Amino acid sequence: MTDPIIAVLAFDGISPFHLSVPCLVFGEDRTALGLPRFEFRICAGKPGPVHTEAGLTVAAPHGLEGFDGADIVIIPSWHHLAEPPAPLLMEALRQAHRRGALIVGLCLGTFAIAAAGLLSGRGAATHWAYAERLQKLHPDIAVDASVLYVDNGDVVTSAGVAAGLDCCLHIVRARYGAEAALRLARQIVLSPHRQGGQAQFIEHPVARSADADRFTQALDAVRATLGETHSLDRVAEAAGLTRRTFTRRFQKSIGTSFGEWLTSQRIELAQRLLEATEKSMDVVAFEAGFGSATSLRQHFAARLRTSPAQYRREFSQRADQDERMAHALSS
């Protein structure tokens, strides 16, 4: 089995930060974390030096032919928003999409993917400050200015700047499992999982206080005991806050509701249990706080569009493939 190929587009005037996001997630050897060894390609309109907006020069060893055979093609940003991309780039994106590659647009990269016609009639995210502009250019796209990323299955788009990291981590989680994504998040000091539907901008407390510490401790206690029942009133009391104040602070600091967050935490725990153990569905459901295998299946179907059994099978198949590949490389 060959290494998964990740192709990333660079262009003159690109922000070094935007280019660095997929480099950080896919461009380094993460095999010690349980991820495959990626073949990482920096591509451009033609091979050669690429001059970033910060004055740095980056070598792009590949032209657009670097998209050929790629499992994931990432457009990390874009420029000249009112002008369509070069026809050769749009055709390269369409060909990669037809071939089955996952197409990813980070931040303003959504504009290039939209111009290629890959988002027509579908949902998309981009930087909130440019969402209205994207909507005017492409009225057939359902642009959501409030979310971190939108996953259409074959095309994924993200909001601006740091949301690109959340989006890439989401892709790692979807393809290689929650445990590997968690280890990677710890390695790069990133929040393990921010749901795509979370708000793009979150009001974090300016300074820590005794109340803030109690708030954090209350959430840590919930994470440590997900198999137990956690009512909003009881968690608010543990945080030393009224229900109303807790709800408002939670929305501002986390970017979603307590109920949505709790369900996400339980799904992630269930994913890890399915990946790392052979426990029955009833036991996984109980330990993750869903109560029954039926409830577990319903939440997996709603959030992950799969069943727990199918998730376990697919993860096991990927793990077996990675093990065979590692054995072949070492022999």
Side-chain angles (χ1 to χ4, degrees), residues 10-35:
F11 51 83
D12 285 337
I14 191 171
S15 157
F17 175 82
H18 288 103
L19 183 58
S20 73
V21 168
C23 294
L24 176 65
V25 175
F26 300 106
E28 299 184 25
D29 184 354
R30 307 289 189 185
T31 53
L33 303 179
L35 290 170

Side-chain angles (χ1 to χ4, degrees), residues 230-244 246-247 258:
H230 295 287
S231 69
L232 177 58
D233 288 333
R234 185 172 297 176
V235 178
E237 182 180 359
L241 301 169
T242 65
R243 178 190 179 102
R244 181 176 179 180
F246 177 85
T247 300
F258 174 73

Side-chain angles (χ1 to χ4, degrees), residues 106-186:
L106 305 179
C107 194
L108 300 183
T110 303
F111 280 77
I113 294 173
L118 301 182
L119 289 168
S120 180
R122 314 177 84 178
T126 190
H127 192 294
W128 64 269
Y130 295 88
E132 185 176 350
R133 189 169 183 178
L134 178 64
Q135 189 68 82
K136 287 181 178 178
L137 284 172
H138 303 280
D140 57 338
I141 299 175
V143 181
D144 193 334
S146 65
V147 299
L148 292 175
Y149 51 84
V150 174
D151 187 346
N152 289 297
D154 54 343
V155 181
V156 183
T157 54
S158 86
V161 196
L165 282 168
D166 291 297
C167 181
C168 288
L169 196 62
H170 163 73
I171 293 168
V172 169
R173 184 181 303 104
R175 294 201 163 208
Y176 305 108
E179 186 61 35
L182 179 61
R183 289 194 291 265
L184 175 58
R186 287 172 178 164

Side-chain angles (χ1 to χ4, degrees), residues 4-8 22 26 38-42 70-74:
I5 300 172
I6 314 295
V8 179
F26 300 106
F38 297 108
E39 179 182 335
F40 191 75
R41 300 175 180 174
I42 299 291
D71 298 277
I72 303 175
V73 174
I74 302 175

Side-chain angles (χ1 to χ4, degrees), residues 237-308:
E237 182 180 359
L241 301 169
T242 65
R243 178 190 179 102
R244 181 176 179 180
T245 301
F246 177 85
T247 300
R248 184 169 59 250
R249 179 170 292 181
F250 196 94
Q251 184 69 44
K252 286 182 177 181
S253 60
I254 306 298
T256 188
S257 70
F258 174 73
E260 286 291 312
W261 174 84
L262 180 58
T263 299
S264 297
Q265 296 294 313
R266 285 174 165 159
I267 287 177
E268 288 180 37
L269 175 56
Q271 287 177 290
R272 296 197 296 273
L273 291 171
L274 291 169
E275 293 167 13
T277 75
E278 296 182 359
K279 294 177 179 179
S280 70
M281 294 302 162
D282 287 326
V283 172
V284 170
F286 178 78
E287 292 188 5
F290 288 111
S292 69
T294 300
S295 178
L296 178 67
R297 286 193 295 270
Q298 290 172 342
H299 281 89
F300 262 60
R303 295 293 186 96
L304 304 179
R305 300 176 186 174
T306 189
S307 68

Side-chain angles (χ1 to χ4, degrees), residues 165-214:
L165 282 168
D166 291 297
C167 181
C168 288
L169 196 62
H170 163 73
I171 293 168
V172 169
R173 184 181 303 104
R175 294 201 163 208
Y176 305 108
E179 186 61 35
L182 179 61
R183 289 194 291 265
L184 175 58
R186 287 172 178 164
Q187 184 78 24
I188 63 178
V189 196
L190 185 69
S191 174
H193 187 196
R194 291 204 294 166
Q195 287 281 345
Q198 283 187 217
Q200 286 194 25
F201 35 91
I202 300 170
E203 299 177 29
H204 291 283
V206 174
R208 297 189 66 84
S209 64
D211 286 343
D213 287 338
R214 288 190 64 181

